[in-house]
Amino acid sequence: MPMAMETRADAIRTFLESVHPYDSLPRDELTQVVDSFSRREYPAGSEIYAAGEPLKGIFLIKRGAVEVIDRNGELVSILGPRNSFGERGLMRDGLALTSARATEDSVILMLPVAELKRLIANSPAFTRFFNRSRPAESRGNDLSTLKVADLMARNPVTCQPGDSVQDAARLMREKHISSLAVTENGTLVGILTTRDLTARVLAEGLAATTTVAEVMTADPLTLTPDSLGSDILHTMLERRIGHLPIVEGGELRGIITQTDLTRFQAVSTAQLVRDAAVADSAEEMAEVTARIPRLLMQLVAANNAHEVVTRLITDIADTVTRRLLKLAETQFGPAPVPWLWLACGSQGRQEQTGITDQDNCLILDDSVTDDDMEFFRQMAKYVSDGLNTAGYVYCPGDMMATNPRWCQPRRVWRRYFEKWVDSPSPEAQMLASVMFDLRPIGGTPALFRDLQTETLAMASKNSIFVAHMISNSLKHQPPLGLLRGFATIRSGEYKNHIDLKLGGVVPVADLARVYAIKGRLSAVNTRARLEGAEHAGVISISGARDLIEAYDLIARLRLENQAALVRSGRKPDNFLAPSDLSDFERSHLRDAFVVVRTMQSALGHRGGTLG
């Protein structure tokens, strides 16, 4: 329970003026909001609310730190000053979806639910902010509003009208499908299904040499790629059919079946997380992660914000990791001392776009002995091998907990960071860039909390280290060419393409990391770091807004390109051909790259503050 409850209008006003979206409110409106907030103090270790409890409002951290824990007792996130929590439950049924606990003495502000909903209804800034912050389960799996092009199976298997039904049946068996599109000179003339073979061939005693034309459904009902999922549902229900060819301009583009619809409904973040959480082996987890590309396609097709898509996909990697950690303890017994498994790289930043390599480490309690280390070597190998089997392949740079260098007591990790900061060699810069993106996944979060705070303070005070990190952040440049063009790859498989990862999102992530160090910001997500840097005054409001908008465009195009590759049956990658974009998109993408280059220049010449 709270130790005290009071309103201190002046202090709350000053604080809210530095927190978005409250900083966007007119002065008289802000006064009303200030009067609505209550101020509460929670000692370290006290519970703010438990999962399933009614929520009376949204919580905003003024000072301290809060752990958010799911219903299974797993750590969801560690929040610091200016972070909000509790809004997900309010936006759904008013009940807390998670538990929240103060991990250090904290001052928490609470805004009543009625006031929050009034602000969302009347302020575009609040609408954008809280809509962006919420998961998109209501949109990401809305079958009825998606286009057929995002649902259909492309390159459908076909046969000719003159083929025998026996050959057609063999083809269906070989391809593990339940229908064939019947084409003649590239034009759809009919459809043959397993139901046709049963009812019109076997039941009638027809010979195996009977032609497809004699038993197929001629001139079948079709839809176009721009039809909606609702058109599929209504047509199938009304006509009692299970297969719909998709035709455009007289040409067969694809086919959609009831199986496709069932598969779509089964691919949701919640379903994948649930399946991963109960998997009993890495092989079972691999079956779950194999569905991620289709999930990516669906989330993008539903117009979810890029940070929502990447967060949801990263949640699956987190769940797989935590499940493997539990299975490891089941196999090897309880750990001899407290430990913490952390992710870095894109998983650490919650920015995964699909199956990637793994980057992780272990921080151990300082009481660990040499004899104890064998347990953690076994744990690290078990989890790392499991992640590799599940599709998160071994890190080529060996940034994994299986490397003894990255499985160490807390005191050793402190020395690592001290050395990197005090002696910023090229290797130290590289390692610091990776390790400043650490995020706890499973174990005891307290092993990292103070270490992160100490490291940020130490790094921000060392101007030489910051200068080296700035220099390191400028190594990846946006692919800008002369005469308003792009500097595309000149040869190889991706000739005339640009790399939206190394030339787009990585430069922004590098900038955001430096801003986080300069501002002692605990966030590791790139967009959260940019927003935090704006609020902390590390970069100007205009500079921050421009960079965030540029990042949003680059990240969105990257995801849309990956989704298009999945739709076409290919594996997603980071390479985009500018010629595939419209003139409008090319112009805006180049403008976004210009913003990134401008912010890089400002960081290099003026230490990162834009006026």
Side-chain angles (χ1 to χ4, degrees):
M1 294 298 293
M3 292 174 56
M5 182 180 297
E6 60 181 325
T7 298
R8 299 177 181 177
D10 291 340
I12 292 176
R13 172 188 290 278
T14 300
F15 176 70
L16 292 181
E17 287 175 344
S18 69
V19 179
H20 190 70
Y22 304 97
D23 60 352
S24 67
L25 294 173
R27 188 169 184 81
D28 57 342
E29 179 78 346
L30 182 60
T31 298
Q32 178 178 342
V33 173
V34 167
D35 292 339
S36 299
F37 268 104
S38 61
R39 180 182 183 277
R40 306 179 174 197
E41 294 183 5
Y42 293 86
S46 62
E47 186 177 74
I48 300 171
Y49 59 73
E53 287 185 357
L55 290 170
K56 296 181 179 180
I58 184 177
F59 297 86
L60 176 63
I61 304 173
K62 187 174 186 293
R63 186 176 71 245
V66 171
E67 285 181 353
V68 178
I69 302 166
D70 66 19
R71 294 175 182 268
N72 297 318
E74 297 290 348
L75 178 69
V76 175
S77 57
I78 301 175
L79 306 177
R82 296 184 177 85
N83 287 150
S84 298
F85 59 99
E87 63 267 27
R88 285 187 59 196
L90 285 180
M91 299 305 171
R92 292 182 63 179
D93 55 7
L95 300 179
L97 301 178
T98 56
S99 298
R101 180 180 62 197
T103 57
E104 57 186 68
D105 293 345
S106 301
V107 175
I108 309 293
L109 304 179
M110 190 193 79
L111 183 67
V113 59
E115 182 66 2
L116 175 63
K117 291 185 175 181
R118 183 188 71 81
L119 288 169
I120 291 175
N122 296 295
S123 170
F126 274 76
T127 301
R128 287 193 301 271
F129 185 86
F130 287 105
N131 281 347
R132 179 186 55 75
S133 299
R134 292 197 305 273
E137 64 270 11
S138 62
R139 299 184 63 198
N141 210 37
D142 188 356
L143 173 63
S144 63
T145 59
L146 288 182
K147 288 187 177 181
V148 167
D150 296 316
L151 299 167
M152 69 183 185
R154 297 174 183 270
N155 303 316
V157 181
T158 64
C159 67
Q160 300 291 317
D163 293 343
S164 70
V165 292
Q166 184 177 49
D167 288 341
R170 287 172 175 166
L171 183 57
M172 288 188 201
R173 181 184 65 184
E174 176 187 340
K175 299 295 184 179
H176 304 288
I177 54 178
S178 60
S179 66
L180 292 171
V182 186
T183 59
E184 193 168 32
N185 298 323
T187 301
L188 180 73
V189 295
I191 187 170
L192 181 70
T193 68
T194 53
R195 183 177 178 181
D196 294 329
L197 294 176
T198 300
R200 299 178 182 178
V201 179
L202 290 177
E204 297 298 329
L206 298 183
T209 56
T210 302
T211 64
V212 168
E214 297 176 65
V215 296
M216 71 181 186
T217 299
D219 298 321
L221 190 65
T222 64
L223 291 176
T224 59
D226 59 355
S227 300
L228 297 178
S230 58
D231 297 323
I232 303 170
L233 294 170
H234 297 163
T235 301
M236 286 186 171
L237 289 172
E238 181 180 350
R239 304 299 181 90
R240 296 184 180 181
I241 55 178
H243 304 77
L244 272 171
I246 310 303
V247 175
E248 183 178 36
E251 295 186 8
L252 180 67
R253 299 297 188 191
I255 194 166
I256 192 159
T257 69
Q258 288 181 340
T259 302
D260 294 322
L261 302 186
T262 301
R263 185 182 300 115
F264 173 87
Q265 296 287 13
V267 180
S268 68
T269 309
Q271 183 65 52
L272 267 61
V273 166
R274 186 160 50 245
D275 291 347
V278 298
D280 290 325
S281 68
E283 288 74 20
E284 290 183 17
M285 295 177 202
E287 295 176 4
V288 176
T289 59
R291 289 179 266 164
I292 289 178
R294 187 169 184 87
L295 172 67
L296 169 70
M297 183 187 72
Q298 292 176 190
L299 292 172
V300 172
N303 296 315
N304 289 295
H306 70 87
E307 68 271 23
V308 172
V309 176
T310 55
R311 168 61 186 272
L312 294 176
I313 289 176
T314 305
D315 285 348
I316 299 167
D318 291 355
T319 303
V320 168
T321 305
R322 282 192 285 266
R323 181 58 177 164
L324 286 167
L325 287 167
K326 283 188 175 181
L327 292 175
E329 287 199 300
T330 299
Q331 178 162 338
F332 303 120
V337 300
W339 54 272
L340 179 63
W341 184 282
L342 304 98
C344 44
S346 60
Q347 184 184 0
R349 297 191 303 274
Q350 296 179 302
E351 293 167 6
Q352 289 190 322
T353 61
I355 302 300
T356 62
D357 64 343
Q358 55 178 288
D359 299 280
N360 46 61
C361 65
L362 269 169
I363 297 179
L364 310 177
D365 188 83
D366 284 339
S367 63
V368 67
T369 66
D370 290 342
D371 291 339
D372 295 334
M373 293 302 295
E374 179 59 27
F375 173 90
F376 293 107
R377 282 191 286 270
Q378 291 179 324
M379 169 189 272
K381 186 177 188 308
Y382 182 92
V383 176
S384 184
D385 287 348
L387 288 171
N388 183 69
T389 298
Y392 303 94
V393 298
Y394 299 122
C395 172
D398 203 20
M399 302 289 292
M400 298 180 294
T402 50
N403 184 337
R405 189 179 186 185
W406 310 128
C407 178
Q408 291 290 337
R410 188 172 179 272
R411 63 179 180 275
V412 174
W413 279 98
R414 179 180 280 107
R415 289 201 296 268
Y416 283 166
F417 281 104
E418 289 174 350
K419 182 178 179 181
W420 296 335
V421 172
D422 291 339
S423 305
S425 65
E427 183 192 32
Q429 296 171 40
M430 182 273 291
L431 293 174
S433 294
V434 174
M435 295 305 176
F436 270 104
D437 291 351
L438 287 174
R439 181 172 61 87
I441 300 298
T444 305
L447 289 172
F448 179 63
R449 189 183 308 113
D450 292 342
L451 180 62
Q452 182 189 37
T453 302
E454 294 168 9
T455 301
L456 285 171
M458 176 175 53
S460 65
K461 293 176 183 177
N462 190 316
S463 59
I464 296 177
F465 174 76
V466 173
H468 279 279
M469 290 299 292
I470 290 174
S471 176
N472 189 66
S473 73
L474 305 181
K475 291 180 179 179
H476 295 102
Q477 296 282 328
L480 288 169
L482 300 176
L483 304 175
R484 294 194 61 78
F486 296 97
T488 59
I489 298 170
R490 296 184 178 181
S491 61
E493 180 182 359
Y494 298 108
K495 182 180 180 180
N496 297 326
H497 287 65
I498 56 177
D499 188 336
L500 286 177
K501 179 181 178 181
L502 291 182
V505 298
V506 167
V508 182
D510 289 343
L511 287 172
R513 186 181 302 108
V514 174
Y515 297 148
I517 294 172
K518 289 169 67 68
R520 304 185 187 182
L521 307 174
S522 60
V524 293
N525 174 265
T526 296
R527 203 176 194 281
R529 279 173 164 171
L530 296 177
E531 292 175 340
E534 175 191 354
H535 301 153
V538 177
I539 48 178
S540 69
I541 293 176
S542 60
R545 299 291 165 83
D546 286 346
L547 187 54
I548 289 172
E549 289 182 8
Y551 178 59
D552 286 346
L553 175 64
I554 296 167
R556 176 176 61 79
L557 286 177
R558 180 191 182 200
L559 287 177
E560 289 179 352
N561 184 57
Q562 290 188 357
L565 291 171
V566 174
R567 278 197 301 272
S568 65
R570 290 178 286 174
K571 291 183 178 180
D573 59 44
N574 295 301
F575 299 95
L576 171 72
S579 58
D580 290 341
L581 301 175
S582 66
D583 290 341
F584 179 84
E585 290 173 320
R586 281 197 298 272
S587 175
H588 279 69
L589 179 58
R590 192 181 189 284
D591 289 343
F593 286 152
V594 169
V595 169
V596 177
R597 177 74 65 83
T598 300
M599 296 298 286
Q600 287 181 322
S601 178
L603 185 65
H605 289 91
R606 286 177 282 170
T609 301
L610 286 177

